Amino acid sequence: MSSLALDSSPPRTRRRFTGWFSYLALSPSLVVLAIFFALPMGIMIGMSFADPQTLSPTLDNYHRFLTDGLSLAGFCRTAIMSLLVAVCVTALGYPVAYFLARSRTRWRAVVFALALSPELAGVVLRTYGWLIILEDRGFINDVLLYLGLIASPLPLSKNLFAVVVGLTHVVLPFGILSLMTSIQGIDPNLERAAQMLGASRLSVIRFIVLPLSVPGIVSSMLIAFTMAASAYATPALLGGAGFKVLATMIYEQVLFYINWPFASVMAISLLVMMLAISFAGVRYESRRRLRTAGAKGDN
Amino acid sequence: MGTKRCFALILSAAFVTQANVAGAETLVLNSYGGPYEAIIQERIIKPFEERHGIDVVYDAVGSAQQDYAKIKATNGRPGFDVAVMTASQSLQGCKDGLLEKLAVAEIPNLASLSPGLSSAAGPCGAVHEVQYLSLLYRTDKLTSAPVSWADLLDPQLTGKIILPTFQNIMAVYLLEMMSLSNGGDLIDNIDPGFDAMAKVSAQSVGFEQSSAILESYVRDGSVWAMPFWNGRAQLLVDEGVPVDYIRPREGTIPLIATLNIPVGAANKDAAVKFIDFFLEKSSQEGWVTGYRVGSARTDIDVPAELQRRQVQSVAGDKSLHLPDLMLLQAKLPEWAERWERDVVPHAN
Amino acid sequence: MNLLDIELVSVSKTFANMSVVKDINLAVPQGEFVSILGPSGCGKTTTLNMIAGFNAPSCGDIRVRGRSQIRVPPERRNIGLVFQNYALFPHMTVNENVAFGLKMKGAGSNEIALTVKDALRSVHLEGYGERYPRELSGGQQQRVALARAIAPRPSVLLLDEPLSNLDLKLREAMRIELKEIHEQLGMTFVYVTHDQEEAMAMSDRIVVMSQGSIAQEGTPAQIYRDPKSRFVADFIGKSNILAVSDVKPNGKTAEIVVGNDVRLIARAPDDDRPIRYCSIRPESVSLGAVTASGEDKSNRINAVVRRVINLGGSLEVLAQLSEELHLHILVRSSRSTVAPAVGETVALGIDAADIQTLAE
């Protein structure tokens, strides 16, 4: 047997992709992240400790945030609104996601397009659409007044209700996609097995699909929460002066009061809120994961 | 020569020629949209472009305060050469060193402006128009014309008025007038004003930010009275909308609008030319008749019926109350919080 | 009177212009263990899905205990199904898995507890009740799947290649267990598989499917001894298929000519269709013209040994009859067996009964 001159470069090449080379490969992204994320974040945190006029270090901004009543009210309002949006998006999106995950009829493409195409119109356009529908002189009130069902317009806009409706509409496609992916990951044979054991469609969903899609539900709620908490255009247009959330309050501080330090404190509080919720979600999911490993049905 | 180098050369040649075509300069003007834009284009910008051969780029984004926030954020280099703002921003900008001091040497027409109004705006602002806060009402809905700010509290107006948000200076002026009418004053003793605004707010269907949206409520009749700038109010009357406006008996506060140049403007030459052009007699006459506002020039020819309803000067006019604008700016953050707490919750 | 547990009457299934199941007729008496056997793509899984209720037949009827199931959804058919990949509910314990069917029926908690215990006992998994599926081996999971399917006492149990994910030894052990459970319960089993050894080992009856139709059905012995087509002869066990050029029936036997000039005496054909092939099982060819009991074999031919493979317990011999004719021979070997040498001419003996004539 001839001695084959083995080419030894493949192993060497493999080795080259570990160690310093991998860091080199990552460096463009690291540089971009450093410049456009870490640096501005650092500046913002620094600014939150500065006096608005003199820029000298102070804790006054944080003190004001915690004591002036309005800021904490805005914080709670933002949290409650985001939570409601998360629940609505997940509850409304689940049936659609289930249909999209399991259906094999031609309706699937239609429903898919209907669920996602609103994104094409953009947030502002859709939010104005809701304004036209929900205003005191908008579509719904017009119809109800015309039919004589109400005497004066229902307050459907410039409040929590309007903002939750508008944001749910905007965030829904993302929730549906997230849930759909999660449900697709569940072995369809599990549902068939349940059916053969006598479970109706509803029982299949209740006992098999829902428990196994909890990770998807958690991530859908996280996505919806963070999107709602950081939204600006929809709360600005549909919430108005009477319903201010952190995003609109920050905008005011920056563009009207030119008080960047106080705006930074608000922004940091929003960040803390979202980090806390994300952390809670991830913790919950990792605990559940220990109990439902092997969701695909084979070991 | 390779294709790439050829391409690069052609591109740079195009840029250079673009910049030097017939010696055309560019002036970036930051102003307002809506009817303001249409009228200013017709009456001021086009004649200016023709006379001086300078291209004007129009930026309609941002209220006066937002424009100033941009100037402050960019340290005087906001990307526009001339901004339409108000006396408040002119004074603040001068103090912060972000706006150019305007000299009669470069802008001769400054000398023709009424000294009272000029001094109200300070050395960094050129007063190009004056308006006041009027009370606009639907003539077909109200049995008789209102005469006082207190008429906003009339029971027949419950749920039939709308208020501007606090970010709109109209809200601040209304607050001050309510204070003045109820025994307080414009800056220091503002409590009567807040008490009154709480009650006014209870009459209101809500708060809106932009003049255009506020206007739409009056147009479709869901609102029967509201505070509004007299210039735009007159435009509505001219359009044929069944409205009219009054200067209430307690008086009102004038809005002194100014043209300003940020210290870091790219084209200061064109900027001073523009301001001088805007302040010319013929331009001011065109502006006054076009936008229905008052001028700071004392020598213009204006039709009598327009003149009656405009502001000519502040000093002689007892019905105009001008607060100390710098003090007012300083009070705004504190009043804003109070507005959130005491006024906003009462609205419907 | 034998109740028919399952009847398929002229069942066909077409998917988008492709005919996957063509006019199947099947009658399964109560308590039978019937296997549906065939290569992949033959339509056996589609047929199973139709019996289960996941697919509706394009035409034809499916009856369980005499009642048509066409409009009945799977959850109301009272049929059990054991999946190839077990499909155990990962978020439930073994007990909860097995109890699921009873829970859906609305049984009381006492009844459920007893039945679950029974079911686990019959698959030899007592004491595993509180484990989760991921903690079990493949074979254990398979048994839980079985227990789960039989716990709600269905009328019929369908099994979809349940052993194909197990290794060989385990598979053979499970075959025996499955057969035992079948006998214990007396339930009708419909077993789908592509493994003919499995089907042969466990079934009362085998239904061989090919390209959407039933190629042949019968007991394992019948199918093995009397294949009615090349496909069946080749699919079940190993077989030598030789082209037949001339046939002369002669009562119980027939004279056939294979290849150019090799004459053999074969079994008489069952019907009038023209004979085109014959099938000879490798183990029915003996080396040497004399049988173990000393009788002459009907056919004696000389052949040249071309290849010998010693498998330990048996010898595989490839013998050449003529230029284009080869025979695979399987001979049981013992200590005293002498393997023929390559190139040696040997006499081969084949009984007429062991040469099956085929029309297709």
Side-chain angles (χ1 to χ4, degrees):
Chain A
M1 190 162 93
S2 54
S3 68
L4 301 158
L6 286 167
D7 191 6
S8 60
S9 42
R12 240 189 276 138
T13 317
R14 226 178 294 133
R15 239 179 287 136
R16 231 189 270 144
F17 278 94
T18 58
W20 64 269
F21 187 76
S22 57
Y23 287 117
L24 189 63
L26 280 177
S27 56
S29 329
L30 287 175
V31 167
V32 168
L33 273 180
I35 297 179
F36 294 105
F37 182 72
L39 194 59
M41 189 69 79
I43 293 177
M44 189 181 82
I45 295 177
M47 199 171 325
S48 68
F49 291 104
D51 179 284
Q53 315 298 348
T54 64
L55 292 184
S56 53
T58 173
L59 285 177
D60 281 351
N61 298 314
Y62 284 93
H63 184 256
R64 180 178 162 198
F65 183 83
L66 292 170
T67 57
D68 76 352
L70 293 171
S71 307
L72 283 181
F75 184 90
C76 294
R77 226 177 284 134
T78 308
I80 292 175
M81 167 203 79
S82 307
L83 195 60
L84 285 174
V85 172
V87 169
C88 290
V89 163
T90 306
L92 288 174
Y94 197 89
V96 181
Y98 183 77
F99 176 81
L100 287 177
R102 291 297 183 229
S103 162
R104 270 171 296 171
T105 68
R106 67 175 67 105
W107 284 110
R108 184 178 189 269
V110 174
V111 172
F112 203 81
L114 283 178
L116 295 184
S117 56
E119 286 303 315
L120 292 172
V123 173
V124 177
L125 205 60
R126 281 186 285 162
T127 303
Y128 266 111
W130 276 112
L131 200 58
I132 296 174
I133 296 175
L134 294 173
E135 285 184 305
D136 286 354
R137 56 211 172 128
F139 182 72
I140 293 184
N141 276 313
D142 260 357
V143 168
L144 291 178
L145 281 168
Y146 179 78
L147 291 177
L149 292 171
I150 51 174
S152 65
L154 295 173
L156 298 173
S157 65
K158 309 294 185 190
N159 52 21
L160 175 67
F161 173 77
V163 175
V164 170
V165 165
L167 278 176
T168 301
H169 183 213
V170 168
V171 175
L172 194 58
F174 299 96
I176 291 178
L177 277 179
S178 164
L179 286 168
M180 180 185 88
T181 318
S182 162
I183 295 175
Q184 276 176 333
I186 301 176
D187 183 6
N189 269 347
L190 294 179
E191 292 172 62
R192 286 193 209 120
Q195 275 186 291
M196 292 311 291
L197 292 166
S200 63
R201 268 263 153 225
L202 276 175
S203 291
V204 171
I205 296 183
R206 179 176 159 200
F207 291 109
I208 309 296
V209 184
L210 262 180
L212 289 174
S213 55
V214 165
I217 292 176
V218 168
S219 71
S220 161
M221 290 195 63
L222 277 179
I223 291 176
F225 186 94
T226 42
M227 287 186 78
S230 50
Y232 171 75
T234 306
L237 288 169
L238 288 172
F243 188 84
K244 293 214 179 105
V245 296
L246 282 174
T248 44
M249 289 161 73
I250 292 171
Y251 182 90
E252 242 173 56
Q253 289 297 325
V254 169
L255 279 175
F256 186 71
Y257 301 110
I258 318 185
N259 186 343
W260 291 34
F262 194 55
S264 303
V265 174
M266 285 190 188
I268 290 174
S269 78
L270 186 59
L271 187 64
V272 166
M273 183 199 301
M274 297 205 273
L275 282 175
I277 297 283
S278 301
F279 183 69
V282 169
R283 272 272 299 247
Y284 178 74
E285 207 180 304
S286 64
R287 283 223 207 107
R288 269 206 81 100
R289 200 174 295 196
L290 294 174
R291 292 201 16 212
T292 60
K296 280 210 182 271
D298 44 30
N299 214 353
Chain B
M1 255 205 301
T3 336
K4 265 202 203 157
R5 290 181 68 184
C6 223
F7 192 59
L9 250 139
I10 294 176
L11 261 183
S12 36
F15 271 125
V16 168
T17 40
Q18 177 77 298
N20 286 339
V21 152
E25 284 174 74
T26 315
L27 175 79
V28 182
L29 170 68
N30 188 316
S31 175
Y32 308 121
Y36 202 98
E37 178 175 359
I39 299 171
I40 198 178
Q41 284 280 9
E42 182 203 328
R43 306 246 168 163
I44 306 290
I45 293 181
K46 278 209 185 23
F48 173 77
E49 282 178 330
E50 266 160 43
R51 158 107 60 96
H52 290 268
I54 300 178
D55 257 329
V56 175
V57 174
Y58 198 85
D59 178 358
V61 175
S63 67
Q65 185 67 7
Q66 285 172 345
D67 289 345
Y68 186 66
K70 202 168 175 196
I71 294 174
K72 191 155 186 212
T74 54
N75 237 345
R77 249 168 246 283
F80 41 82
D81 304 306
V82 177
V84 174
M85 299 193 290
T86 73
S88 297
Q89 287 83 38
S90 305
L91 293 169
Q92 186 73 39
C94 238
K95 179 167 165 246
D96 292 339
L98 292 171
L99 294 177
E100 284 285 336
K101 288 201 169 45
L102 306 174
V104 177
E106 295 171 311
I107 307 177
N109 280 310
L110 276 175
S112 314
L113 299 181
S114 135
L117 288 169
S118 275
S119 61
C124 298
V127 180
H128 70 293
E129 90 192 24
V130 187
Q131 296 193 63
Y132 58 87
L133 189 68
S134 68
L135 183 52
L136 179 72
Y137 64 98
R138 291 277 299 219
T139 49
D140 55 340
K141 305 282 190 192
L142 293 191
T143 46
S144 57
V147 294
S148 155
W149 288 114
D151 285 335
L152 283 171
L153 292 167
D154 195 311
Q156 70 166 319
L157 284 177
T158 305
K160 293 290 178 222
I161 68 171
I162 188 156
L163 293 173
T165 57
F166 196 74
Q167 281 80 60
N168 189 328
I169 199 72
M170 287 201 283
V172 180
Y173 281 12
L174 184 61
L175 168 67
E176 291 184 294
M177 281 320 299
M178 280 308 190
S179 174
L180 205 57
S181 327
N182 287 295
D185 65 39
L186 293 176
I187 306 248
D188 297 307
N189 183 9
I190 199 71
D191 291 348
F194 273 106
D195 293 337
M197 281 313 297
K199 296 196 200 109
V200 175
S201 156
Q203 298 269 84
S204 158
V205 293
F207 301 85
E208 288 290 352
Q209 173 71 26
S210 82
S211 294
I213 299 190
L214 289 165
E215 198 178 272
S216 70
Y217 280 83
V218 168
R219 274 179 196 273
D220 70 21
S222 43
V223 154
W224 294 354
M226 69 182 193
F228 210 45
W229 299 122
N230 70 302
R232 283 191 81 140
Q234 182 64 46
L235 284 175
L236 278 178
V237 172
D238 293 342
E239 242 185 82
V241 182
V243 293
D244 203 3
Y245 60 102
I246 56 147
R247 197 190 300 199
R249 65 167 170 237
E250 299 92 344
T252 184
I253 303 180
L255 179 70
I256 301 169
T258 59
L259 298 167
N260 308 90
I261 305 179
V263 289
N267 196 346
K268 290 198 191 150
D269 279 336
V272 299
K273 284 192 189 126
F274 183 79
I275 296 182
D276 198 51
F277 183 82
F278 209 134
L279 296 179
E280 272 186 14
K281 184 164 187 287
S282 53
S283 304
Q284 285 286 296
E285 277 166 3
W287 186 239
V288 162
T289 50
Y291 197 54
R292 311 309 211 187
V293 293
S295 168
R297 282 187 81 112
T298 44
D299 60 347
I300 54 171
D301 275 318
V302 172
E305 30 83 37
L306 262 185
Q307 214 182 57
R308 178 175 57 82
R309 310 194 78 170
Q310 304 313 357
V311 173
Q312 294 308 99
S313 82
V314 176
D317 195 332
K318 291 238 175 354
S319 69
L320 292 179
H321 313 275
L322 187 64
D324 181 326
L325 294 174
M326 287 301 291
L327 284 179
L328 180 61
Q329 279 292 95
K331 284 279 183 184
L332 284 185
E334 177 199 319
W335 287 2
E337 260 187 54
R338 218 174 144 178
W339 180 276
E340 277 301 317
R341 263 190 263 272
D342 299 342
V343 176
V344 173
H346 293 282
N348 298 323
Chain C
M1 184 177 73
N2 233 356
L3 243 135
L4 286 175
D5 257 355
I6 301 194
E7 282 171 85
L8 270 66
V9 181
S10 295
V11 169
S12 305
K13 181 69 184 172
T14 312
F15 281 123
N17 292 339
M18 229 178 26
S19 191
V20 176
V21 172
K22 302 172 187 143
D23 201 37
I24 299 255
N25 285 285
L26 184 63
V28 182
Q30 194 178 55
E32 188 180 58
F33 191 127
V34 62
S35 290
I36 303 182
L37 173 67
S40 33
C42 69
K44 59 189 192 294
T45 309
T46 311
T47 307
L48 190 79
N49 281 336
M50 286 195 278
I51 302 176
F54 296 125
N55 277 330
S58 306
C59 55
D61 193 14
I62 299 182
R63 292 182 205 137
V64 174
R65 297 215 170 139
R67 258 184 290 154
S68 171
Q69 302 289 309
I70 292 300
R71 295 216 187 289
V72 180
E75 56 264 24
R76 291 219 291 273
R77 290 198 182 193
N78 199 24
I79 296 178
L81 179 46
V82 180
F83 290 81
Q84 190 173 0
N85 70 343
Y86 326 133
L88 293 179
F89 306 133
H91 59 299
M92 296 187 194
T93 60
V94 166
N95 275 342
E96 287 165 343
N97 264 282
V98 178
F100 192 78
L102 297 156
K103 188 165 151 194
M104 290 300 110
K105 269 193 178 159
S109 50
N110 279 334
E111 186 192 334
I112 292 183
L114 280 171
T115 314
V116 167
K117 246 174 110 177
D118 257 343
L120 285 178
R121 203 171 338 125
S122 54
V123 297
H124 309 302
L125 279 181
E126 310 99 310
Y128 281 76
E130 286 310 305
R131 305 253 189 116
Y132 280 92
R134 66 176 173 281
E135 298 169 29
L136 304 176
S137 71
Q140 290 167 332
Q141 288 188 28
Q142 188 52 277
R143 284 185 271 162
V144 174
L146 187 58
R148 182 178 70 176
I150 60 178
R153 290 272 171 276
S155 27
V156 173
L157 186 64
L158 306 174
L159 300 102
D160 186 6
E161 310 206 42
L163 305 182
S164 51
N165 283 359
L166 303 174
D167 61 56
L168 184 60
K169 280 267 179 328
L170 200 48
R171 234 186 294 157
E172 289 175 353
M174 283 299 295
R175 280 186 212 157
I176 302 172
E177 271 198 47
L178 269 177
K179 193 70 185 144
E180 277 175 2
I181 293 171
H182 170 249
E183 271 150 29
Q184 242 174 48
L185 297 175
M187 207 185 274
T188 309
F189 274 30
V190 177
Y191 193 94
V192 167
T193 181
H194 63 273
D195 184 334
Q196 45 101 5
E197 252 187 57
E198 232 167 59
M200 299 282 284
M202 295 190 290
S203 326
D204 296 329
R205 196 160 55 110
I206 300 182
V207 174
V208 184
M209 278 185 75
S210 165
Q211 295 183 324
S213 308
I214 295 183
Q216 190 171 348
E217 57 176 292
T219 66
Q222 282 171 346
I223 298 213
Y224 191 79
R225 270 194 341 239
D226 305 332
K228 297 268 190 291
S229 60
R230 269 182 312 158
F231 171 76
V232 175
D234 207 27
F235 192 73
I236 312 283
K238 293 207 183 76
S239 185
N240 292 290
I241 312 273
L242 307 170
V244 169
S245 44
D246 192 30
V247 180
K248 274 208 243 349
N250 195 351
K252 282 220 179 99
T253 59
E255 256 179 50
I256 60 176
V257 175
V258 295
N260 280 337
D261 51 0
V262 178
R263 286 178 190 285
L264 296 171
I265 303 182
R267 229 168 57 209
D270 295 319
D271 53 39
D272 296 326
R273 288 185 298 167
I275 300 298
R276 297 229 287 272
Y277 306 95
C278 72
S279 149
I280 306 174
R281 297 279 179 204
E283 64 274 11
S284 53
V285 180
S286 54
L287 291 175
V290 180
T291 67
S293 48
E295 286 171 21
D296 268 352
K297 292 238 175 174
S298 332
N299 294 288
R300 247 166 298 154
I301 354 166
N302 287 337
V304 180
V305 174
R306 286 293 169 217
R307 194 172 66 217
V308 177
I309 300 179
N310 193 335
L311 294 173
S314 50
L315 281 175
E316 245 184 52
V317 178
L318 181 65
Q320 190 169 15
L321 298 181
S322 68
E323 209 171 293
E324 43 340 300
L325 278 186
H326 290 86
L327 272 187
H328 292 268
I329 307 165
L330 191 67
V331 177
R332 283 250 162 268
S333 62
S334 61
R335 268 183 205 280
S336 49
T337 312
V338 176
V342 174
E344 195 185 313
T345 304
V346 286
L348 302 176
I350 316 172
D351 239 345
D354 290 326
I355 303 184
Q356 174 79 340
T357 51
L358 302 170
E360 55 186 5

